[in-house]
Amino acid sequence: MKTEYKSRVYTERPAYADYDSPQKFEAVKSIIAKRLRQYPNAICSYSGGSDSDIMLHLIETVRKTFNLPPVSYCFFNTGLEMEATKRHISDAEKKYGVYIDIYRPKKNIVQAVREYGQPFVSKIMSAGLEGVQKKNIPLSIAQEYRDAEDKTAKRAEFRERYPKCEATINFLCGCNSKGEPRPDIQLVINSSKYMLDFIMENPIPFKVSNKCCDCCKKQVAHNAQKPYDMIITGERRDEGGMRSVPRKDNTSMCFTETSDGKFRLRPLYYVSDADKQWYKNYYGLKYSDAYEVYGLKRTGCCGCSISSSAVADLELIREYELNLVKAAWNVFGDSYRYRQKYNEYKARRRELDGQVNLFDNYVD
């Protein structure tokens, strides 16, 4: 029987991760209070989303309870933001008596996507496909690797054939640099089912990249956070993707020291969706109109083509913010259309696979 693998994020999680909601948030408040006492020169990223709203409420509650110094707040405007988010930021400032500093990138989202490319499916997928495109590595090496009897030798051959392309080779072949198969991890192309076959049959008609996030958020955040000792963010394990992957410096993910000697606090890391709903109801929080009126389940970068629900979300927004919807389609339209084509391909393949399996069951 195959044993289900769980990363250290699950197996080494702190005890409070399994508390019920009221107890869990009391533990979270204690964590925030402890770290703010240690590192009062702190900045918190606020996005205007539901996680950020809970973060802001928690921090300001703790600050007032323990008479702690003010925390700085920042919002990163990518150039493609909902008016609902901008209104909500203003409302939050008034409600809590805080100032949320707005930072803008040197290259906005439109410029970054035009220069580097559009994200597709996930940040990991986008980075992998960007490597394939830039380094001009043929997709056929995946079949070469699969067919090789000595996979270690074949992987070494690829290293000679395509120097300085380790991550891209591993991404296509579903292996590590030693040539050992690793088909069940997020870092390979077929972590999205049938993706390799789809791209081989339907070559990508646009440049793919996840660098718009680096340009419009990460670089801006790095510069904004330089003067501070501690950075507070609302990342949660339940969001999945890279946020559910353990890091070398601290498997609990809640509090880490960065390479430049700063500290990062993620007090919501083990807060579940159910915990969030309990907190919202208990304290009577009101999220932005993006949730309460438009009906979105999450905000993030508006229209980002990494989101599987991007197109559907834009339709929810259309009635209220038509110009934003048009802008998003202008920026990410190629990726939206290609994603739809992939979804249709995946559905057909699954149906065919199901028919084949059904036939096999009836063969004597």
Side-chain angles (χ1 to χ4, degrees):
M1 183 180 293
K2 185 177 178 181
T3 302
E4 183 182 4
Y5 172 77
K6 284 187 175 288
S7 79
R8 287 173 292 135
V9 164
Y10 294 85
T11 60
E12 298 179 17
R13 64 189 182 275
Y16 77 86
D18 296 319
Y19 291 174
D20 61 18
S21 298
Q23 290 179 303
K24 184 181 291 186
F25 280 110
E26 288 306 308
V28 169
K29 288 176 186 177
S30 297
I31 291 168
I32 294 172
K34 175 183 176 180
R35 298 307 180 184
L36 283 179
R37 283 197 183 101
Q38 289 176 312
Y39 308 104
N41 182 29
I43 186 170
C44 176
S45 294
Y46 179 80
S47 69
S50 57
D51 292 342
S52 284
D53 280 338
I54 290 175
M55 275 290 299
L56 180 56
H57 188 274
L58 279 166
I59 291 171
E60 290 305 305
T61 300
V62 168
R63 262 201 344 97
K64 287 165 185 173
T65 300
F66 296 98
N67 195 28
L68 298 172
V71 169
S72 296
Y73 293 97
C74 58
F75 171 77
F76 306 118
N77 186 333
T78 65
L80 198 63
E81 304 292 344
M82 288 181 281
E83 290 301 320
T85 298
K86 296 174 186 176
R87 290 195 301 270
H88 193 62
I89 290 169
S90 179
D91 291 342
E93 287 180 316
K94 293 171 186 172
K95 178 177 179 179
Y96 296 102
V98 299
Y99 175 68
I100 300 171
D101 206 354
I102 297 176
Y103 292 83
R104 291 177 172 81
K106 291 180 181 178
K107 291 178 185 174
N108 65 27
I109 194 79
V110 177
Q111 296 166 320
V113 166
R114 283 176 181 167
E115 181 171 347
Y116 301 111
Q118 300 175 41
F120 176 65
V121 173
S122 70
K123 290 181 183 179
I124 295 171
M125 185 68 68
S126 301
L129 293 175
E130 181 179 19
V132 171
Q133 290 180 332
K134 278 189 170 181
K135 293 161 186 176
N136 201 27
I137 298 179
L139 301 177
S140 58
I141 69 167
Q143 188 63 50
E144 273 192 71
Y145 174 79
R146 282 198 297 269
D147 292 344
E149 290 186 15
D150 188 339
K151 289 182 165 41
T152 301
K154 177 57 70 173
R155 182 63 183 78
E157 179 191 326
F158 288 156
R159 184 177 292 111
E160 294 297 318
R161 198 191 306 175
Y162 307 106
K164 300 181 180 178
C165 296
E166 293 293 288
T168 304
I169 295 169
N170 294 345
F171 169 74
L172 283 177
C173 297
C175 65
N176 62 21
S177 294
K178 296 177 183 178
E180 299 165 339
R182 302 175 73 198
D184 299 323
I185 64 170
Q186 295 182 35
L187 301 175
V188 301
I189 190 168
N190 276 340
S191 58
S192 292
K193 199 167 180 65
Y194 309 120
M195 183 62 76
L196 179 62
D197 290 349
F198 169 70
I199 294 175
M200 291 185 77
E201 295 177 32
N202 305 273
I204 305 173
F206 57 94
K207 281 197 303 185
V208 178
S209 176
N210 66 3
K211 284 194 171 62
C212 55
C213 184
D214 289 336
C215 286
C216 299
K217 289 218 166 170
K218 289 184 180 178
Q219 292 175 14
V220 184
H222 179 72
N223 290 331
Q225 293 160 355
K226 275 182 182 177
Y228 297 90
D229 300 323
M230 186 169 68
I231 301 149
I232 308 172
T233 58
E235 296 166 62
R236 295 188 307 117
R237 182 193 63 189
D238 276 12
E239 292 175 282
M242 289 305 291
R243 295 182 179 187
S244 64
V245 177
R247 303 182 184 183
K248 293 178 182 178
D249 51 4
N250 188 297
T251 57
S252 77
M253 296 292 291
C254 184
F255 184 73
T256 59
E257 184 174 2
T258 62
S259 58
D260 57 358
K262 294 181 183 295
F263 297 91
R264 187 173 292 274
L265 177 63
R266 307 175 187 85
L268 297 187
Y269 191 72
Y270 289 100
V271 168
S272 69
D273 294 340
D275 294 328
K276 278 180 59 182
Q277 189 61 49
W278 175 87
Y279 195 92
K280 181 182 190 292
N281 293 342
Y282 187 81
Y283 288 102
L285 299 187
K286 182 180 181 297
Y287 294 154
S288 82
D289 286 348
Y291 298 90
E292 309 277 2
V293 178
Y294 303 175
L296 298 181
K297 297 198 182 313
R298 60 183 300 171
T299 51
C301 294
C302 183
C304 176
S305 49
I306 280 176
S307 171
S308 61
S309 62
V311 172
D313 287 348
L314 289 176
E315 288 309 301
L316 293 175
I317 295 169
R318 183 180 292 276
E319 178 184 351
Y320 307 97
E321 304 200 23
L322 179 58
N323 289 337
L324 183 67
V325 173
K326 290 179 179 178
W329 271 96
N330 285 333
V331 174
F332 300 118
D334 293 332
S335 187
Y336 295 156
R337 287 182 281 270
Y338 195 62
R339 177 77 167 257
Q340 180 59 38
K341 196 171 183 179
Y342 164 64
N343 289 341
E344 291 167 357
Y345 177 91
K346 183 168 58 173
R348 287 197 302 272
R349 284 290 301 270
R350 280 179 169 158
E351 184 178 352
L352 287 172
D353 285 354
Q355 290 172 357
V356 169
N357 291 336
L358 186 63
F359 175 78
D360 288 345
N361 289 337
Y362 286 98
V363 173
D364 290 333

